Amino acid sequence: MSENKVLFGFHAVGVRLKIAPASVIEVLFDPTRRDARMKGFLERAREAQVRLIEADALRIAKLAGSHGHQGVAARVLAVPSARSLDELLERLEAAASPDSPPTQPLLLVLDGVTDPHNLGACLRVADGAGVHAVIAPKDHAAGINATVAKVASGAADTVPYFMVTNLARTLGELKERNIWVVGTSDQAPKTIYQADLRGPLALVLGAEGQGLRQLTSKSCDELVRIPMHGAVESLNVSVASAVCLFEARRQRG
């Protein structure tokens, strides 16, 4: 039972119903909400043959730990995934064949992102960009909780999130696998658009304002910046992640 967790909101619960309906133990919903969105959601839940429980908004809020649940929450089992970053990278390497080019890993590394809303938004961006995993240090980082899952709109279930003991050492291990580690810094001479992002890549971003820690910065192969043209000096980390990741996707064709 310790592996059970709670998801809330239409996106987070809806994605779980789509990708792993057998993992959904039960769904609580507010029967006073009778709009088209709720009706469509309940149809999908019934098609997935999950247990539906009517509950008032207060009960759902207590389960979700938030009043932003939209009238929907679910108790779910953890979805099996790669148990470690090494295992995931080995799977990517093993998927290569003589008839197809190897999959070029695309990783997002977050250094010092402690706000669950920012983490959720980064996971959503990572899913949209086809990132293979998001990596963060166990210290100075947010973990996956119901708020993260809600903001991520289902991406917390689709993007592996690995919290590592020593981030600098992990970056060194990525470089040993020939993964190019590119960090972001407002002081970098080169822009993200001038960097070659076509090969195996780990993009490293820090929290807004603080940026990368010194040791993390020194562990990168290259530092780049996002050119800013207005009065604002920096972007929110999720927005910066989107700029960098989709530039990498553009270069990869």
Side-chain angles (χ1 to χ4, degrees):
M1 297 298 292
S2 61
E3 294 185 352
N4 294 0
K5 65 176 184 177
V6 175
L7 299 176
F8 64 90
F10 286 114
H11 279 299
V13 180
V15 168
R16 178 58 71 91
L17 287 171
K18 180 179 179 180
I19 67 170
S23 71
V24 180
I25 299 168
E26 60 189 17
V27 172
L28 280 67
F29 71 98
D30 184 350
T32 64
R33 180 165 177 172
R34 299 186 177 92
D35 55 280
R37 191 174 190 186
M38 178 64 83
K39 289 179 180 177
F41 172 82
L42 292 176
E43 286 179 9
R44 291 194 299 274
R46 292 187 179 103
E47 288 173 0
Q49 298 182 329
V50 303
R51 183 186 181 199
L52 289 170
I53 300 173
E54 293 186 1
D56 59 34
L58 182 58
R59 181 182 175 189
I60 297 173
K62 287 181 178 178
L63 176 64
S66 168
H67 288 282
H69 50 71
Q70 301 175 306
V72 171
R75 289 189 178 92
V76 301
L77 297 170
V79 177
S81 61
R83 290 167 293 182
S84 68
L85 179 60
D86 281 339
E87 181 181 328
L88 182 139
L89 293 174
E90 286 166 8
R91 286 183 185 178
L92 292 178
E93 292 173 4
S97 70
D99 299 324
S100 63
T103 301
Q104 304 280 31
L106 179 59
L107 308 172
L108 175 63
V109 182
L110 301 175
D111 184 27
V113 177
T114 58
D115 181 82
H117 292 85
N118 279 339
L119 175 58
C122 286
L123 288 171
R124 187 171 184 175
V125 167
D127 178 89
V131 165
H132 295 106
V134 176
I135 304 163
K138 288 183 178 178
D139 297 327
H140 312 294
I144 300 293
N145 58 26
T147 298
V148 172
K150 168 67 163 57
V151 176
S153 298
D157 279 336
T158 59
V159 180
Y161 181 61
F162 298 110
M163 301 187 79
V164 299
T165 303
N166 187 316
L167 186 59
R169 184 171 62 208
T170 297
L171 295 179
E173 292 169 352
L174 293 179
K175 289 194 280 189
E176 290 175 2
R177 289 180 176 270
N178 295 316
I179 295 174
W180 191 246
V181 179
V182 177
T184 54
S185 169
D186 294 339
Q187 285 73 49
K190 181 185 291 188
T191 73
I192 186 70
Y193 306 113
Q194 295 169 324
D196 185 351
L197 309 176
R198 292 173 294 177
L201 178 68
L203 284 165
V204 190
L205 288 92
E208 184 179 2
Q210 298 173 334
L212 299 181
R213 290 177 293 173
Q214 187 174 10
L215 183 57
T216 304
S217 181
K218 288 182 177 179
S219 301
C220 295
D221 291 307
E222 179 180 25
L223 295 176
V224 299
R225 61 182 168 83
I226 297 173
M228 302 294 290
H229 302 284
V232 175
E233 295 181 355
S234 63
L235 299 173
N236 175 276
V237 64
S238 63
V239 177
S241 296
V243 172
C244 295
L245 289 171
F246 280 93
E247 171 59 15
R249 276 295 167 204
R250 185 194 69 80
Q251 291 189 20
R252 290 160 182 243

